[in-house]
Amino acid sequence: MRTRNLVPLIIETEAANAQASPPPADRESMATRKRSGSGSKRQLKEKVVQIYESFFRGEDLTSNNPTFWDELFLLKPKVIQLEAEIQKLNPDQLSNLKDNINLLFSKCVDTLNQEHQLRIVYSLQTLSALASAVYRKMNLESGSDIINTLIGLNAAEVVMQQFLNSCNDFLSGDAPDSLKTHVLKLLLVIVTGKEEVNDNPLLEYFMITSLFEALFKLLSTTAERQVHGHDAVLLLTILVNYKKDDAANPYIVKLSILDDELALNGYGQVITSALGGFCSRYGRERAGNEGNTGSGGGGWLSSLTSMVGGMFLSGDDVNTGKTHQIRANNAVLLALYEAAHLNRNFMTTLAHTQSDRPSAPPSPVNTLSHNQTPPNAADQTEIDIAQPTNLLVTFFQYCSIVMQDTKTEPSINNCKLCFLILTCISEDQYANSIMHDCNLTFKVQLHRLPMRHRKVTPDKEAPSQTLAATLIDLLVEFVMSHMMKRLPMELYLHCIGVVHRLLCYQKRCRVRLDYQWKELWSSMISLLKFVVNNESNLSKKMDIFFLCLQIINIFNIFITYGDTFLPTPASYDQLYYELIRMHQVFDNLYSMALRYSTSDSEYKEKALKLANCLFNIKAIIKHFTPKIESWLASQSLSTPNEDQILEVVRKNYEGLMLKLQDSLDKFERYGERPLHSAFLQAALTQTVRDTRTHVDYAGADIKGLSLLHEGVVSS
């Protein structure tokens, strides 16, 4: 009876004072401002605030009130004040109050076992504020023990097991969505408590009591995936990366062997929705700026910064410039990377048509600020329902956008992460079979960077073609649009590596892809020409010979094995025509390699290897050039057309001597360690930092809370 009398009073009080809670980054400053008006008229404090103040003074509030804890969790937490009370404690005070903090944490966990849902939600919010504040406080104190301060060493194992079991029950059971949302927010607070995930000791308990099945159950149903999908995938990604080199991480093991197609497809749909939302907003922004492209395309290109910044960051962050423009996508890209890298079964979902769209999930917690308006759902639907999509289609389109900007470190890192994902996909047998299946064709709108040597026109309708052809288009576009003095060498090597893997698959499986290979050949020759022309500048900063060697190996694959995978014999003739037509580029490349191979340069051995690899190309040029010149002389022609030269090539293969080169169709399979471990760890750290800054556990699902109020009153 006491509980029933209290609830309407609480609801009435909260309704009179309800207001949206600010994000965590603003709470401490607001609390400071509230305490600063000492000279003004003293304001009445709410009961829960008075409780916090007494509690963190070390007072025993239960001695005269045996029902204190039952009543406390019927009062809506004031997270700003709770966090402020903890933040103003000095190290000695914090140490002296350890028992009180341990008790509060334990009582919150005990409350999770009650049936009173309002109490459960309030205990979850209290736990979130308590954990967040203690983590922030302890991060400032070197050598501090978060487990001992927050939970207590002696009780930690039992309390954390009880806590995680309750979370498992809520997430996998039929609890209301609002309650599940608060559980996920609390879990995000804990797993992001430390920027370096491996330094977070509480994650050890997540390894003992796994949440893997509960999180994937959320992804298996459409309704729950749309509400909780992003948070669930984000949690999984962080947990998979905890002590990743340790074989004991159950999340790595379980993700690598997961074969539940429904769950894997749900995981992919969350990623598709996040990347698809980015692409849709970019497309609308670009369409709105097409009128400004008359002066070389700077209008919509420069709008990329403001558009992406406004899409993913709060107002304060937008002003920090381009360094944050695409960073918020790292979370879903890391999720995609982990699935593509660890789970071969995930490849079966890459081309599945998405069934959730056009219904879009709520915006990720680390991509929209509390005062920012989400994208218009009607506008989103208009774009989404125009063309069926899948994860690969959306990912290729996303890559075409982010690969346009490689001028800042965050942009380069985002682009590199895309290439690592493409590398994992391109060396997987099943993924290749999907991409090369001529019965699976898609229209993928790839965005192109406006450049001086080509006219900027509105995007034409994309051709319907295989995903492999679209991927090669994407790679060709990258090659052609990034030849600059600050050559992104590492990205180019990843790009050429993906091309190499695709060709190896085609040669091995004798797949004759219907593609205009001249586009690829021309882009490779253009890159070689750029490198040779800028050799004096580039060779001082990077190893240009290794890049050139990889490109020449691509040509040698076509020369040696092209008859097994080129679509027609005419394609082989076209290859020879391009080599002969651009012979000056290869002559200059050979001269450069010869010059370095006979000097004391650090690149001597690589230059010699490059010169040797040019043998077949030089043989082709040497064989056909005199025959073409002889034919021109006999015809009294000085400017022949392409068809005439091709005819000469077709009739004069006899006598051409080529050298069979070893291991052209071999590549070193992708390995995360040791080359990419530091990069991926840095991307994870940034994701953790962004999530911790923007997760809003206090204001989560206000509407859902009101429904819980109604349920309590009606009971």
Side-chain angles (χ1 to χ4, degrees):
M1 293 300 295
R2 182 184 183 89
T3 299
R4 290 181 180 274
N5 292 335
L6 277 173
V7 171
L9 178 60
I10 296 166
I11 298 170
E12 184 178 3
T13 303
E14 299 305 335
N17 298 287
Q19 56 182 353
S21 299
D26 297 336
R27 291 178 190 142
E28 188 173 351
S29 61
M30 287 183 64
T32 303
R33 290 198 299 269
K34 288 186 177 182
R35 295 194 303 268
S36 63
S38 58
S40 60
K41 183 178 179 180
R42 184 174 181 180
Q43 297 180 348
L44 293 176
K45 295 180 180 178
E46 296 183 56
K47 180 178 180 180
V48 71
V49 177
Q50 296 177 29
I51 291 174
Y52 294 156
E53 292 177 348
S54 300
F55 189 82
F56 288 104
R57 284 197 299 265
E59 298 178 12
D60 183 4
L61 302 179
T62 62
S63 58
N64 296 323
N65 186 3
T67 61
F68 166 75
W69 293 108
D70 289 334
E71 295 177 4
L72 175 63
F73 294 117
L74 283 174
L75 299 174
K76 182 178 179 181
K78 299 297 179 182
V79 296
I80 299 175
Q81 288 78 4
L82 176 56
E83 292 178 350
E85 290 297 323
I86 296 176
Q87 292 303 313
K88 68 183 182 182
L89 298 174
N90 61 41
D92 290 337
Q93 291 172 326
L94 185 65
S95 177
N96 293 333
L97 286 171
K98 180 183 74 68
D99 291 341
N100 273 24
I101 295 174
N102 295 167
L103 180 61
L104 178 57
F105 191 97
S106 176
K107 290 297 183 180
C108 287
V109 172
D110 289 341
T111 305
L112 299 181
N113 292 323
Q114 296 189 11
E115 296 182 0
H116 195 294
Q117 292 183 345
L118 191 60
R119 280 197 178 111
I120 294 174
V121 170
Y122 285 169
S123 67
L124 289 170
Q125 285 188 321
T126 302
L127 279 172
S128 297
L130 182 64
S132 177
V134 171
Y135 265 116
R136 287 210 306 272
K137 189 70 176 178
M138 302 298 280
N139 285 338
L140 300 176
E141 308 292 338
S142 59
S144 55
D145 187 347
I146 184 69
I147 296 179
N148 192 34
T149 302
L150 188 61
I151 311 172
L153 290 177
N154 294 332
E157 185 173 348
V158 174
V159 172
M160 283 301 297
Q161 182 176 3
Q162 180 185 350
F163 165 69
L164 291 172
N165 284 337
S166 296
C167 292
N168 254 322
D169 292 340
F170 291 139
L171 295 177
S172 58
D174 57 356
D177 282 339
S178 57
L179 198 156
K180 292 184 178 182
T181 296
H182 281 83
V183 171
L184 290 170
K185 300 304 181 190
L186 171 56
L187 294 172
L188 282 174
V189 168
I190 294 174
V191 301
T192 61
K194 292 277 190 179
E195 287 188 2
E196 296 296 332
V197 172
N198 290 343
D199 295 338
N200 192 340
L202 286 185
L203 266 62
E204 282 294 335
Y205 300 104
F206 285 76
M207 303 299 111
I208 299 172
T209 306
S210 175
L211 298 172
F212 185 89
E213 289 77 11
L215 293 174
F216 261 100
K217 186 176 181 181
L218 292 177
L219 299 175
S220 300
T221 58
T222 301
E224 290 190 313
R225 179 169 59 246
Q226 290 179 331
V227 178
H228 310 297
H230 182 272
D231 286 348
V233 168
L234 183 55
L235 269 170
L236 284 165
T237 303
I238 295 174
L239 291 170
V240 163
N241 280 276
Y242 176 69
K243 294 186 177 180
K244 203 171 186 181
D245 297 338
D246 188 350
N249 185 327
Y251 295 88
I252 295 178
V253 176
K254 291 181 179 181
L255 180 59
S256 64
I257 64 175
L258 182 66
D259 59 358
D260 185 341
E261 186 174 349
L262 190 62
L264 289 172
N265 193 47
Y267 186 96
Q269 286 182 353
V270 172
I271 299 170
T272 303
S273 295
L275 298 182
F278 175 91
C279 295
S280 296
R281 289 202 62 192
Y282 173 85
R284 291 195 295 273
E285 185 74 16
R286 178 171 179 174
N289 285 277
E290 285 293 347
N292 299 325
T293 60
S295 58
W300 72 261
L301 181 61
S302 62
S303 72
L304 178 64
T305 301
S306 60
M307 181 271 292
V308 180
M311 190 191 315
F312 293 107
L313 299 165
S314 63
D316 293 337
D317 289 332
V318 173
N319 296 327
T320 62
K322 298 180 68 174
T323 57
H324 300 294
Q325 57 181 359
I326 308 177
R327 198 177 67 199
N329 291 314
N330 279 351
V332 288
L333 288 181
L334 279 172
L336 176 55
Y337 165 80
E338 296 298 347
H341 175 52
L342 294 174
N343 191 303
R344 292 200 62 190
N345 298 314
F346 182 71
M347 297 299 176
T348 64
T349 71
L350 292 177
H352 282 188
T353 300
Q354 303 299 320
S355 59
D356 284 357
R357 298 160 72 90
S359 300
S363 298
V365 294
N366 63 330
T367 58
L368 283 177
S369 62
H370 70 284
N371 58 357
Q372 190 173 350
T373 304
N376 187 300
D379 295 341
Q380 180 78 24
T381 300
E382 182 179 349
I383 293 178
D384 289 344
I385 65 176
Q387 175 70 29
T389 188
N390 58 47
L391 180 52
L392 274 183
V393 168
T394 305
F395 180 58
F396 289 168
Q397 186 177 16
Y398 174 82
C399 289
S400 73
I401 297 173
V402 299
M403 287 180 182
Q404 295 178 21
D405 179 17
T406 57
K407 295 180 180 179
T408 64
E409 184 177 357
S411 301
I412 293 174
N413 291 340
N414 195 270
C415 191
K416 178 180 176 179
L417 189 50
C418 289
F419 272 123
L420 293 185
I421 296 169
L422 290 174
T423 300
C424 294
I425 292 173
S426 63
E427 66 182 38
D428 182 83
Q429 180 78 8
Y430 190 85
N432 267 307
S433 67
I434 293 174
M435 293 192 295
H436 288 84
D437 189 343
C438 61
N439 295 315
L440 291 176
T441 59
F442 299 89
K443 295 181 179 180
V444 185
Q445 189 66 62
L446 299 180
H447 299 279
R448 292 158 58 90
L449 183 68
M451 296 186 291
R452 294 177 181 177
H453 67 272
R454 68 184 182 193
K455 184 178 180 181
V456 179
T457 57
D459 292 325
K460 299 178 181 179
E461 183 178 0
S464 181
Q465 58 184 6
T466 61
L467 290 170
T470 298
L471 176 54
I472 297 174
D473 281 342
L474 175 67
L475 300 173
V476 167
E477 175 62 21
F478 179 84
V479 171
M480 293 300 296
S481 60
H482 290 79
M483 288 178 259
M484 57 188 75
K485 290 183 178 180
R486 294 179 59 187
L487 192 73
M489 174 63 75
E490 185 180 13
L491 298 182
Y492 265 118
L493 289 174
H494 286 304
C495 178
I496 303 302
V498 175
V499 173
H500 187 203
R501 285 162 171 78
L502 293 174
L503 294 179
C504 289
Y505 171 81
Q506 294 170 21
K507 179 262 178 183
R508 183 173 64 252
C509 298
R510 295 182 175 270
V511 176
R512 299 187 182 275
L513 183 66
D514 184 15
Y515 186 74
Q516 296 297 321
W517 289 105
K518 181 180 178 180
E519 298 293 328
L520 177 64
W521 301 330
S522 297
S523 68
M524 296 293 171
I525 294 173
S526 296
L527 180 55
L528 287 174
K529 182 178 180 180
F530 176 83
V531 170
V532 172
N533 290 344
N534 294 274
E535 163 248 327
S536 59
N537 176 54
L538 294 176
S539 62
K540 298 175 183 177
K541 306 174 182 177
M542 58 194 73
D543 183 1
I544 59 175
F545 294 95
F546 185 70
L547 174 63
C548 293
L549 181 61
Q550 301 308 306
I551 297 173
I552 296 303
N553 281 342
I554 296 293
F555 280 107
N556 281 329
I557 290 176
F558 280 105
I559 294 170
T560 308
Y561 305 113
D563 59 320
T564 66
F565 64 85
L566 286 172
T568 63
S571 301
Y572 202 75
D573 302 333
Q574 187 72 47
L575 168 65
Y576 278 46
Y577 171 79
E578 290 299 320
L579 296 175
I580 298 166
R581 184 175 70 88
M582 302 302 294
H583 69 90
Q584 191 64 51
V585 173
F586 296 101
D587 291 342
N588 293 340
L589 179 63
Y590 181 77
S591 298
M592 182 186 78
L594 203 60
R595 175 160 39 90
Y596 277 83
S597 66
T598 56
S599 67
D600 293 330
S601 168
E602 60 178 309
Y603 302 118
K604 181 177 181 178
E605 293 185 4
K606 292 183 178 180
L608 181 60
K609 188 174 183 179
L610 174 60
N612 292 334
C613 287
L614 282 164
F615 177 88
N616 284 342
I617 295 178
K618 287 182 61 62
I620 292 170
I621 295 171
K622 183 178 180 180
H623 175 80
F624 285 102
T625 298
K627 298 184 182 300
I628 293 173
E629 291 175 349
S630 175
W631 183 85
L632 290 176
S634 67
Q635 300 296 318
S636 300
L637 289 175
S638 58
T639 55
N641 59 40
E642 180 178 336
D643 291 336
Q644 291 171 324
I645 299 299
L646 284 171
E647 185 64 26
V648 176
V649 169
R650 274 191 290 268
K651 293 180 178 179
N652 289 279
Y653 281 107
E654 186 176 352
L656 174 61
M657 301 294 292
L658 298 177
K659 179 181 178 181
L660 182 61
Q661 303 194 22
D662 297 332
S663 303
L664 290 177
D665 59 340
K666 302 291 191 302
F667 56 85
E668 183 178 354
R669 291 192 66 84
Y670 173 78
E672 185 174 301
R673 299 187 298 269
L675 195 57
H676 304 296
S677 296
F679 165 76
L680 292 167
Q681 184 61 42
L684 176 68
T685 299
Q686 189 60 64
T687 297
V688 168
R689 186 182 299 125
D690 290 342
T691 303
R692 184 175 62 185
T693 301
H694 293 90
V695 63
D696 185 9
Y697 48 83
D701 200 359
I702 300 299
K703 181 179 179 181
L705 271 179
S706 66
L707 293 177
L708 286 177
H709 280 303
E710 294 173 7
V712 173
V713 174
S714 63
S715 65

